[in-house]
Amino acid sequence: MHVPDGFIDAPVSVAAGVFAAGAVAVSLRGARRELDERTAPLAGLVAAFIFAVQMLNFPVAAGTSGHLMGGALAAILVGPCTAVLCLSVVLLLQGIFFADGGLTALGVNITVMGVVTVVVAYAVFRLLTGLLPRTRRSATASAFVAALVSVPASAAAFTLLYWIGGTTDIPIGKVFTAMVGVHVLIGIGEAVITALTVGAVLAVRPDLVHGVQGSLAAPLKLRIDGELVDAPAATREPEPARRSTRGFWITGLVSALLLAGFVSFYASADPDGLERVAADQGIDEKVAEHGAADSPLADYGVGDIANARLSGGLAGVIGVSATVVVGTGVFWVIRRREEEPGDAPHDRDHENA
């Protein structure tokens, strides 16, 4: 649901940009608490994986397709603040280099796809995991529901912005019904992808899933005088040594490269939910030409290569590579700032004691 230039007027686009910038600023501070030396490179991998899977449009209705937004997946895997940054990196690179999502609409896209989906999905996920048994199956089911809810919530957020600053005079009720209706269907696909991915990571490295840290296994209990109490620390099982993430990182990167470089060729060519609604309802009457339309990577193809399969695959590989480099770099900088003098490791350990 990449909003192009011309759908939303300038004042509302600027306001959305200010809001998005504020959300990114808050997320930069929050991500310092979520990231450590292991998860910083994994956050870059999550951004690259989302870039890759967003290239895989899947059919949802006659003549309409959808693709992953990724807010729920990122929030569950690396935390909500880091997730907002992941989506912002993806949307920025898509807009500048691939002409996907308007440049003046960047604030709208970050707000709708990178903030609303993350906040809604993470809130639903935490609510459900707090109510359901602490098992991997429950966590996977919670991820499914969280992702499913986040997509129509994003569509509703776009409808609100369109109601305030839409450039065409279309009854808002028709826009809302069409947008939410088609994005419920897209949300099912998003939920399946999110649940499968979260379930796979939980099966091999549950310690890397931010959303379930400390919640899958209840603390050891002892019965004393007929009451259950937490076992003393000395009687609990020692925490396992931290395992290397190198193998997991390499596997994830190879998967993202294969998805973007090969599988994307078989993605649906039908317009996505927003494009279909815009064409049917007349929202796109004042759509503007993309500022990066002359980019050599516009529309996810390398301009000088005539073979469509090779052009699209190479563009996907370039996009994934750029995203993992930029994303990992951003998150390493954030992590290093957390470790600057004045906040030495022994001071933080003392604070956490």
Side-chain angles (χ1 to χ4, degrees):
M1 190 172 62
H2 295 73
V3 181
D5 297 322
F7 278 22
I8 307 295
D9 64 22
V12 175
S13 294
V14 170
V18 172
F19 175 83
V24 169
V26 171
S27 297
L28 283 169
R29 295 181 63 87
R32 297 176 191 171
R33 298 188 298 269
E34 295 172 350
L35 296 170
D36 57 30
E37 68 278 2
R38 298 184 311 152
T39 56
L42 291 178
L45 175 63
V46 168
F49 185 80
I50 289 173
F51 180 97
V53 181
Q54 284 194 358
M55 294 181 65
L56 308 180
N57 279 47
F58 49 85
V60 295
T64 307
S65 69
H67 63 73
L68 182 84
M69 291 191 189
L73 178 62
I76 294 167
L77 292 180
V78 294
C81 293
T82 306
V84 170
L85 301 180
C86 285
L87 269 294
S88 298
V89 168
V90 171
L91 291 167
L92 181 63
L93 293 178
Q94 288 173 334
I96 293 176
F97 296 108
F98 296 88
D100 191 8
L103 296 179
T104 62
L106 181 60
V108 172
N109 283 315
I110 291 177
T111 298
V112 171
M113 295 179 63
V115 178
V116 172
T117 58
V118 168
V119 172
V120 171
Y122 197 69
V124 172
F125 180 79
R126 295 295 293 178
L127 174 64
L128 292 177
T129 53
L131 296 174
L132 297 175
R134 297 177 178 180
T135 65
R136 293 177 185 175
R137 182 174 297 179
S138 294
T140 303
S142 299
F144 182 95
V145 176
L148 175 60
V149 174
S150 71
V151 176
S154 178
F158 166 79
T159 305
L160 175 62
L161 293 178
Y162 180 81
W163 179 49
I164 299 171
T167 56
T168 54
D169 187 17
I170 307 296
I172 195 62
K174 294 177 63 177
V175 176
F176 178 83
T177 301
M179 282 294 293
V180 173
V182 72
H183 282 89
V184 167
L185 299 177
I186 295 173
I188 297 173
E190 174 112 7
V192 171
I193 296 171
T194 301
L196 288 175
T197 305
V198 171
V201 178
L202 284 173
V204 295
R205 293 298 302 269
D207 58 307
L208 298 180
V209 180
H210 179 277
V212 299
Q213 287 180 0
S215 66
L216 283 184
L220 180 64
K221 299 282 188 178
L222 295 178
R223 186 175 296 277
I224 300 177
D225 296 331
E227 295 184 3
L228 288 176
V229 298
D230 289 343
T235 66
R236 300 178 191 175
E237 294 184 4
E239 293 186 3
R242 287 195 168 187
R243 297 160 54 191
S244 171
T245 61
R246 180 178 301 177
F248 182 86
W249 192 91
I250 293 173
T251 301
L253 180 59
V254 170
S255 299
L257 290 170
L258 287 174
L259 290 171
F262 178 72
V263 180
S264 63
F265 180 77
Y266 301 97
S268 173
D270 291 332
D272 68 17
L274 176 59
E275 291 172 329
R276 172 58 65 187
V277 172
D280 290 346
Q281 303 296 329
I283 295 175
D284 58 356
E285 290 181 2
K286 296 185 179 180
V287 64
E289 183 181 8
H290 199 286
D294 295 330
S295 168
L297 297 172
D299 297 324
Y300 298 94
V302 179
D304 295 332
I305 299 179
N307 184 285
R309 183 190 297 269
L310 180 60
S311 176
L314 184 56
V317 169
I318 292 172
V320 168
S321 301
T323 306
V324 77
V325 169
V326 173
T328 302
V330 168
F331 295 122
W332 267 119
V333 169
I334 293 171
R335 180 59 191 164
R336 287 181 65 85
R337 288 190 62 184
E338 176 68 6
E339 297 176 346
E340 286 179 352
D343 190 20
H346 67 272
D347 292 332
R348 292 197 303 275
D349 291 341
H350 176 72
E351 292 172 359
N352 294 332

